[in-house]
Amino acid sequence: MEPHLTILALAALLQVGQIALMAVPANLELGTKATTGPRDPQDVPQGNPYLLLSRRTGRLHRAMNNHFEALLLFTIATLVVVLGEAANALTVTMGWLYLAARVLYIPAYAFGWAPWRSYLWALGLLATVIMLMAALF
């Protein structure tokens, strides 16, 4: 398989892992009534079940949502590189850098490693932007 697509598949699996990493403690903390129901504000104390999560589980939830956003841009970059036949050593390296940054972002967010969480987020975004720019130029 093309290396960029391998990295993209691994990034998608990372997202699945983040869902599980957040969902297990969220179900334990909120109960299945809150997590399997429609989450209507009037049925949950304080209107938003995510406000009831512990600090760490809340961070895992935010890290998961952040990766959904980052993964969208990385997917676009990967498709532009692969379909535009612009793959090279730089774009592969940036793909691996994105994935490494996103893997490290999870514990950085969960454990409140400031400012490292922000640096890792920026590194992943920079890697994605470099992939896009390399494809265009």
Side-chain angles (χ1 to χ4, degrees), residues 108-123:
Y109 209 141
F111 296 109
W113 298 342
W116 301 107
R117 175 190 64 87
S118 296
Y119 294 158
L120 290 165
W121 174 87
L123 186 60

Side-chain angles (χ1 to χ4, degrees), residues 66-83:
N66 183 275
H67 192 221
F68 275 119
E69 297 166 4
L71 187 56
L72 175 63
L73 288 175
F74 181 71
T75 300
I76 292 168
T78 300
L79 291 175
V80 167
V81 166
V82 172
L83 296 177

Side-chain angles (χ1 to χ4, degrees), residues 16-131:
V16 173
Q18 283 191 259
I19 292 168
L21 191 62
M22 184 280 305
V24 170
N27 275 290
L28 292 172
E29 292 172 20
L30 299 175
T32 55
K33 182 178 180 186
T35 59
T36 61
R39 299 182 185 135
D40 293 327
Q42 61 271 24
D43 296 335
V44 179
Q46 299 179 18
N48 183 345
Y50 297 108
L51 295 176
L52 303 175
L53 293 174
S54 69
R55 177 179 279 181
R56 178 144 313 131
T57 304
R59 288 175 180 173
L60 289 170
H61 182 258
R62 293 188 298 276
M64 177 196 69
N65 285 338
N66 183 275
H67 192 221
F68 275 119
E69 297 166 4
L71 187 56
L72 175 63
L73 288 175
F74 181 71
T75 300
I76 292 168
T78 300
L79 291 175
V80 167
V81 166
V82 172
L83 296 177
E85 299 180 356
N88 58 43
L90 174 64
T91 60
V92 171
T93 300
M94 290 301 105
W96 286 116
L97 183 61
Y98 167 86
L99 187 60
R102 294 311 307 189
V103 166
L104 293 172
Y105 183 84
I106 299 166
Y109 209 141
F111 296 109
W113 298 342
W116 301 107
R117 175 190 64 87
S118 296
Y119 294 158
L120 290 165
W121 174 87
L123 186 60
L125 180 61
L126 178 64
T128 301
V129 169
I130 290 172
M131 286 175 67

